[in-house]
Amino acid sequence: MRRQLLITITLAVALALGPPAAAADPLSSWNEGEAKRSIVDFVQRVTTVGGADFLPAPERIAVFDNDGTLWAEKPMYVQLAFALDRVKALAPEHPEWKDQQPFKAALEGDLKTVAAGGEHALLELVMATHAGMTTEAFAQVVTDWLTTAKHPRYNRIYTDLVYQPMLELLAYLRANGFKTFIVSGGGIEFMRPWTERVYGIPPEQVIGSSIKTKFEWRDGSPVLVRLPEIDFIDDKDGKPVGIHRHIGRRPIAAFGNSDGDLQMLQWTAAGSGPNFCLYVHHTDAEREWAYDRESPIGRLDKGLGEAQARGWTVVDMKADWNRIFPF
Amino acid sequence: MRRQLLITITLAVALALGPPAAAADPLSSWNEGEAKRSIVDFVQRVTTVGGADFLPAPERIAVFDNDGTLWAEKPMYVQLAFALDRVKALAPEHPEWKDQQPFKAALEGDLKTVAAGGEHALLELVMATHAGMTTEAFAQVVTDWLTTAKHPRYNRIYTDLVYQPMLELLAYLRANGFKTFIVSGGGIEFMRPWTERVYGIPPEQVIGSSIKTKFEWRDGSPVLVRLPEIDFIDDKDGKPVGIHRHIGRRPIAAFGNSDGDLQMLQWTAAGSGPNFCLYVHHTDAEREWAYDRESPIGRLDKGLGEAQARGWTVVDMKADWNRIFPF
């Protein structure tokens, strides 16, 4: 009885107030065009109750690459800039680095030599700078660095270098019942201290590459110590593995920008229900960067061909985004 | 203006209707007593806006062991019953098992010999029965088995053997803004197919032991193949490691029933803010089982002492629960 009364009054109030004013466009940094339309169409299809493609909210899993998809990855991955700064900060404790590669090159700012060392050199830098401390100490180091380090081109802190249209897309999907995850080749613990604040993505929805940790007691308190040993590489073939490990069900939407994301998109596209795959194509040398098939960072070659063949959405940054960064 | 009008009318309606009728007790299977009171007190403390112990919802992470905490683990872990049934189902394809331990013992129902083989024998059984197929095929095998296999004592399907008071506790925490996770020594892929339906815990909030998977193409489709290789053991020291790996922040509430959960409770108790640790103590031989310090399955020895010393809540199943199972 009371419930019915409440419903009646609520309806009366709603009628008295009339329809709400037209809502602001939740994707206002996206120009009208095929990319924006394909996103809105997909979201409407899976959220329309009674529609053929309706999916209940728990199935609405969306996965996003980070570097080059949610924030800038040029002129180098942010995490590499962090590792190089850490080498400098830790150098006084490691006099041997002066004569030892890749540390010598890192200390001298000789990126060419670091890069020439390939993946092995990068791993050595990461292991030396990301391990040997507790998880809490590492999170603090990351947080401190991000509040002071500046991007060389824009002279702004790195978390300013996130793409405004993607922030809007994340919020739009969440407003439509999606759960948004990051699935990045970057270090999981390098992202978690700030993704909730910057992207609205909590740490438990961040998947990335990791090193092992060990539980132990220090001064009467339990801690997790970061070990110089790879646990998992969340790139290429590793992305579907990481998705399955952390999420345990297949995403229905996947967003990437490079060949490293291709298997994640393929895995998503192979689902039995409706699904959506999107590549961000860096085409705007003026406001950001233009690169694809030949770029050593964020190479998009095979993925571009597959996107065209399969009809995946390809965002032309220059044409589709009227704004790149929030600033 | 319109907003203010709406607020005014809503307030007027609320006042006109008066206070809501007393809600049904969300923890009705819990007898009034110290255990129940400690739970409700904690939840009120962390959810009272403006209170000294208030925590915003994203921080309200609660972790639950599964075997013996959310469902019965006697006379043997459900997953072991599953593995033994799988050995029988797969035996025709493995004639060599007739003469090979621990398979011979498993086929003959000789649990003593299986147990005598220790952890190594159990791992062999798991590897032989849980690997070598795609993740989707394995999920289907688990689902099929759970719809037919019966618990030997209660002659009911295993998912009936969940504890009603814990179902109420899970729902109560979620209604108060908590995010509930399972952190089990059991296989992650053995739990995920049914935890959402039975516990309301989606697959992405299930943490457990795992074997490795590999991304590959079969008949033109990408699949993840389960490999006979341990990826992670989510028990004892492994529980804080698994929590950090999957959740990336420290829980504020932890629920277990054995020494295998002790590190998870210690990790939770070492948080800087308010926290809550609870052990389920199996004291009801009549309705369920009574076991603790001497039990090979679900041993609770060191944990019981630590709970008493630290003032953690210990649930006396016989005294604190007026109902054990939903049936």
Side-chain angles (χ1 to χ4, degrees):
Chain A
M1 188 60 199
R2 161 171 287 161
R3 195 180 156 173
Q4 202 169 19
L5 178 64
L6 188 58
I7 290 169
T8 309
I9 297 176
T10 307
L11 277 174
V13 168
L15 288 170
L17 289 172
D25 179 1
L27 300 175
S28 63
S29 299
W30 294 73
N31 291 322
E32 299 306 322
E34 218 178 299
K36 180 174 184 174
R37 199 158 46 236
S38 71
I39 293 168
V40 174
D41 281 356
F42 176 73
V43 169
Q44 285 179 346
R45 278 201 290 132
V46 300
T47 56
T48 301
V49 180
D53 285 341
F54 175 77
L55 290 173
E59 300 289 330
R60 296 180 206 152
I61 302 286
V63 288
F64 289 81
D65 170 56
N66 186 38
D67 296 309
T69 300
L70 295 179
W71 72 350
E73 63 186 348
K74 295 271 183 178
M76 68 174 99
Y77 294 127
V78 180
Q79 195 176 354
L80 178 56
F82 168 74
L84 294 175
D85 278 0
R86 288 303 295 162
V87 169
K88 285 174 199 151
L90 295 170
E93 300 162 37
H94 294 274
E96 73 279 12
W97 284 354
K98 279 200 321 288
D99 310 300
Q100 190 185 323
Q101 293 298 11
F103 304 100
K104 182 170 180 290
L107 288 171
E108 292 165 356
D110 173 8
L111 286 179
K112 226 170 175 173
T113 302
V114 171
E119 204 174 308
H120 180 73
L122 292 176
L123 277 178
E124 269 203 274
L125 289 180
V126 167
M127 292 306 174
T129 56
H130 287 49
M133 66 193 98
T134 68
T135 51
E136 292 197 335
F138 183 71
Q140 194 56 54
V141 168
V142 171
T143 301
D144 291 346
W145 184 79
L146 281 172
T147 54
T148 53
K150 296 278 174 68
H151 187 282
R153 173 168 166 185
Y154 299 95
N155 195 33
R156 287 181 165 268
I157 58 170
Y158 285 98
T159 48
D160 282 352
L161 276 291
V162 297
Y163 304 130
Q164 175 65 24
M166 298 305 281
L167 296 180
E168 292 170 10
L169 177 55
L170 286 166
Y172 172 66
L173 290 174
R174 288 194 294 260
N176 280 283
F178 282 75
K179 207 163 179 176
T180 51
F181 289 79
I182 289 174
V183 180
S184 168
I188 189 167
E189 297 305 313
F190 180 71
M191 297 182 281
R192 280 172 160 171
W194 54 273
T195 55
E196 189 159 37
R197 179 175 54 81
V198 174
Y199 299 136
I201 297 180
E204 62 267 26
Q205 287 161 225
V206 176
I207 304 167
S209 298
S210 55
I211 59 178
K212 295 194 172 171
T213 64
K214 187 177 177 298
F215 178 86
E216 61 178 61
W217 289 83
R218 287 190 179 177
D219 305 325
S221 290
V223 294
L224 292 171
V225 179
R226 292 169 59 79
L227 306 178
E229 193 182 338
I230 289 287
D231 179 39
F232 183 64
I233 300 288
D234 190 47
D235 197 29
K236 302 191 175 75
D237 280 10
K239 290 208 172 191
V241 172
I243 287 170
H244 189 72
R245 178 199 261 208
H246 281 260
I247 308 179
R249 61 178 143 204
R250 201 187 296 253
I252 64 160
F255 304 83
N257 79 299
S258 79
D259 285 354
D261 305 315
L262 182 55
Q263 288 85 348
M264 173 171 84
L265 271 63
Q266 290 168 333
W267 179 244
T268 301
S272 56
N275 57 72
F276 183 80
C277 293
L278 180 150
Y279 261 128
V280 172
H281 189 191
H282 292 261
T283 53
D284 195 331
E286 210 165 299
R287 293 183 297 171
E288 205 240 7
W289 280 269
Y291 58 97
D292 47 35
R293 297 186 192 276
E294 306 296 330
S295 176
I297 289 178
R299 180 192 307 271
L300 179 61
D301 179 18
K302 213 181 150 202
L304 203 52
E306 191 148 336
Q308 281 153 359
R310 290 179 175 236
W312 292 342
T313 295
V314 177
V315 170
D316 177 340
M317 258 169 105
K318 191 170 176 178
D320 286 320
W321 289 359
N322 59 53
R323 210 169 147 191
I324 305 280
F325 302 115
F327 54 83
Chain B
M1 189 59 200
R2 162 171 286 160
R3 194 176 157 178
Q4 200 169 21
L5 178 64
L6 188 59
I7 290 169
T8 309
I9 296 177
T10 307
L11 277 174
V13 168
L15 288 170
L17 289 171
D25 180 1
L27 298 175
S28 62
S29 299
W30 293 73
N31 291 323
E32 299 307 321
E34 216 178 301
K36 180 174 182 172
R37 199 159 44 236
S38 71
I39 293 168
V40 174
D41 280 355
F42 176 73
V43 169
Q44 285 178 346
R45 278 201 290 133
V46 299
T47 57
T48 300
V49 181
D53 285 341
F54 175 77
L55 290 173
E59 298 290 329
R60 297 179 206 153
I61 301 286
V63 288
F64 289 80
D65 170 56
N66 185 39
D67 297 309
T69 299
L70 295 179
W71 74 350
E73 63 186 349
K74 294 269 181 179
M76 68 174 98
Y77 293 126
V78 180
Q79 194 176 355
L80 179 56
F82 168 74
L84 294 175
D85 278 1
R86 288 302 296 160
V87 168
K88 286 174 197 149
L90 295 170
E93 301 162 36
H94 294 275
E96 74 280 9
W97 284 355
K98 280 200 320 289
D99 310 300
Q100 189 183 324
Q101 293 298 11
F103 303 100
K104 183 170 180 290
L107 288 171
E108 292 165 355
D110 174 9
L111 286 180
K112 226 171 175 172
T113 302
V114 171
E119 203 175 309
H120 180 74
L122 291 176
L123 276 179
E124 269 203 274
L125 289 180
V126 166
M127 291 306 173
T129 57
H130 288 48
M133 67 194 98
T134 67
T135 50
E136 293 198 334
F138 182 72
Q140 194 56 55
V141 168
V142 170
T143 302
D144 291 346
W145 183 80
L146 281 172
T147 54
T148 54
K150 296 278 174 65
H151 188 281
R153 172 168 168 186
Y154 298 96
N155 195 34
R156 286 181 167 270
I157 57 170
Y158 285 98
T159 47
D160 282 353
L161 276 292
V162 297
Y163 304 130
Q164 176 64 24
M166 297 306 280
L167 295 181
E168 292 169 9
L169 177 56
L170 287 167
Y172 173 67
L173 290 174
R174 288 193 294 260
N176 280 283
F178 282 74
K179 206 163 181 177
T180 53
F181 288 79
I182 290 175
V183 180
S184 168
I188 189 168
E189 297 304 313
F190 181 71
M191 298 182 281
R192 281 173 160 171
W194 53 273
T195 55
E196 188 160 37
R197 178 175 53 81
V198 174
Y199 298 136
I201 297 181
E204 63 267 26
Q205 285 160 228
V206 177
I207 304 168
S209 298
S210 55
I211 57 178
K212 295 195 173 172
T213 64
K214 186 176 175 300
F215 178 85
E216 60 179 61
W217 290 83
R218 286 188 179 178
D219 305 327
S221 290
V223 294
L224 292 171
V225 179
R226 290 169 61 79
L227 306 178
E229 194 182 338
I230 289 287
D231 179 38
F232 183 65
I233 300 289
D234 189 47
D235 197 29
K236 301 189 174 76
D237 280 9
K239 289 207 173 192
V241 172
I243 286 169
H244 189 72
R245 179 200 260 209
H246 281 259
I247 308 179
R249 60 179 144 202
R250 202 187 294 253
I252 65 160
F255 304 84
N257 79 300
S258 80
D259 284 354
D261 305 315
L262 181 55
Q263 288 84 348
M264 174 171 83
L265 271 62
Q266 290 169 332
W267 179 243
T268 301
S272 57
N275 57 71
F276 184 80
C277 292
L278 179 150
Y279 260 129
V280 173
H281 189 193
H282 292 260
T283 53
D284 194 331
E286 209 165 301
R287 293 184 298 173
E288 206 242 8
W289 281 269
Y291 58 96
D292 47 35
R293 296 186 191 275
E294 304 297 330
S295 176
I297 287 178
R299 179 192 307 271
L300 178 61
D301 180 19
K302 211 180 153 204
L304 204 52
E306 190 148 337
Q308 282 153 359
R310 288 178 176 237
W312 292 341
T313 294
V314 177
V315 170
D316 177 340
M317 256 170 106
K318 192 171 175 176
D320 286 321
W321 289 358
N322 60 52
R323 211 169 147 191
I324 306 281
F325 301 115
F327 55 81

